[in-house]
Amino acid sequence: MNTYLAEWFVALQRLLPQHGLSRLGKKLAESQSPRVKNALIRQFIKTYQVNMEEALSASPDDYACFNDFFTRALKPEARPIAKGDSVITSPADGAVSQLGTITAGEIFQAKGKSFSVETLLGEANEDSRLFQQGQFMTIYLSPSDYHRVHMPVSGTLDYCRYIPGKLFSVNAATTAMVDGLFAKNERLVCVFDTDFGRCAVVMVGAMMVAGIETVWQKGYQANQLRVDQFKPEEITLDKGEEMGRFKFGSTAILLFEPNTIHWSPEIASGHNVQMGQEIGQRMPG
């Protein structure tokens, strides 16, 4: 998309009723009318060339609604989890948008665009200070991707914070045009204690996203800030275990403390990854 078209695309998103359109999309996506949901699913498979051979259920008839199809489970062998106690695995299928070191608390988004750790996490607290010089990776999930998010490392949930916000598209054109995009959109911040130190998994909503869910919370009330604290014995998830899902395409951002991990050298911006694939390692010592 050239710059002129990208500017118009972003301007249109600013004018559109983002949450209203998403509510309408949610109604369609949750329709259990066989005629409606099967038509939506078949058209989606055709448009985005979805590989249904990986799906646990290959027929549109097997899904109660479009959302069930969109968050479909895969066959167990479709996404093997990379082994090793020091290995970090991709939390999702998608394209690596950006990765690297967080510089002076700023996370690189695109040329000339960034956002702060504090703004992304939604609060100036110990974690926003802890990740100031840490490592980050941003993974964009396209509509054709698998839309469940899994643990990159084993960890115990400390808290999660649902932050209301905008619903800009998170494709490359919008990412290049909207400063601080991922810290403006609605998002769910999940912070875990792990053998790698603190780790944050941030699930970012987008235009037409009909909801963000986790395995511990079915859904979150739109436009209402919510913070949940958890005790160590309440939620512990293994590497590769499902932690949440998107009801439409969006973005997952990983944060790690400084001097704890390094990304695999073959993983670069624009690189496609699959859930369970090795993307990094714990630093020795």
Side-chain angles (χ1 to χ4, degrees):
M1 186 180 294
N2 63 41
T3 302
Y4 179 76
L5 288 176
E7 288 175 349
W8 273 102
F9 180 60
V10 172
L12 180 61
Q13 291 183 62
R14 294 185 191 278
L15 293 172
L16 288 171
Q18 296 176 345
H19 288 87
L21 283 174
S22 293
R23 286 193 295 270
L24 177 60
K26 180 178 181 180
K27 288 183 179 179
L28 283 172
E30 291 181 347
S31 171
Q32 296 192 16
S33 163
R35 188 181 208 176
V36 173
K37 61 99 175 175
N38 287 345
L40 286 172
I41 292 170
R42 288 192 173 96
Q43 186 59 52
F44 191 91
I45 291 171
K46 181 180 178 181
T47 300
Y48 294 103
Q49 300 182 326
V50 178
N51 181 8
M52 292 303 290
E53 291 184 3
E54 296 180 330
L56 196 60
S57 298
S59 171
D61 296 329
D62 295 338
Y63 299 96
C65 62
F66 179 84
N67 267 344
D68 284 356
F69 154 75
F70 196 80
T71 58
R72 62 195 174 277
L74 301 182
K75 294 173 182 175
E77 65 273 16
R79 296 291 184 273
I81 308 301
K83 299 185 184 301
D85 292 341
S86 65
V87 169
I88 303 163
T89 58
S90 177
D93 285 11
V96 176
S97 175
Q98 301 294 342
L99 77 164
T101 301
I102 301 167
T103 305
E106 290 290 314
I107 299 172
F108 182 73
Q109 176 180 301
K111 185 178 180 180
K113 302 286 186 295
S114 66
F115 53 94
S116 71
V117 173
E118 180 179 308
T119 307
L120 178 69
L121 298 185
E123 186 178 350
N125 60 10
E126 182 58 32
D127 285 320
S128 64
R129 291 184 287 273
L130 190 62
F131 293 122
Q132 288 287 304
Q133 307 295 328
Q135 294 292 317
F136 81 96
M137 180 180 288
T138 303
I139 300 173
Y140 165 69
L141 289 72
S142 74
S144 62
D145 286 321
Y146 169 63
H147 278 81
R148 298 190 184 191
V149 178
H150 295 244
M151 292 293 290
V153 296
S154 298
T156 298
L157 183 63
D158 184 11
Y159 67 88
C160 63
R161 177 182 292 114
Y162 171 76
I163 305 171
K166 301 292 186 180
L167 288 174
F168 285 106
S169 168
V170 290
N171 61 18
T174 311
T175 301
M177 299 296 296
V178 179
D179 199 19
L181 172 65
F182 301 117
K184 288 178 177 175
N185 274 13
E186 75 170 23
R187 57 205 179 276
L188 182 69
V189 176
C190 306
V191 178
F192 296 88
D193 286 311
T194 80
D195 288 342
F196 297 64
R198 297 284 267 188
C199 169
V201 182
V202 183
M203 298 173 65
V204 184
M207 182 77 77
M208 298 304 290
V209 169
I212 297 173
E213 294 183 358
T214 63
V215 296
W216 57 85
Q217 175 68 32
K218 182 67 176 175
Y220 295 85
Q221 183 67 40
N223 299 319
Q224 289 186 18
L225 176 68
R226 174 172 175 156
V227 181
D228 294 322
Q229 300 281 157
F230 298 89
K231 297 177 181 178
E233 66 273 13
E234 288 183 314
I235 299 171
T236 297
L237 300 171
D238 292 332
K239 180 175 69 176
E241 194 170 351
E242 182 185 349
M243 61 156 284
R245 58 186 68 176
F246 288 113
K247 294 293 186 69
F248 210 69
S250 198
T251 297
I253 301 175
L254 301 182
L255 303 179
F256 285 92
E257 292 183 43
N259 305 314
T260 58
I261 68 107
H262 61 87
W263 302 119
S264 300
E266 66 273 15
I267 305 294
S269 176
H271 192 102
N272 289 322
V273 294
Q274 288 189 327
M275 191 282 290
Q277 174 185 341
E278 181 175 336
I279 58 171
Q281 303 82 29
R282 179 170 50 203
M283 295 180 78

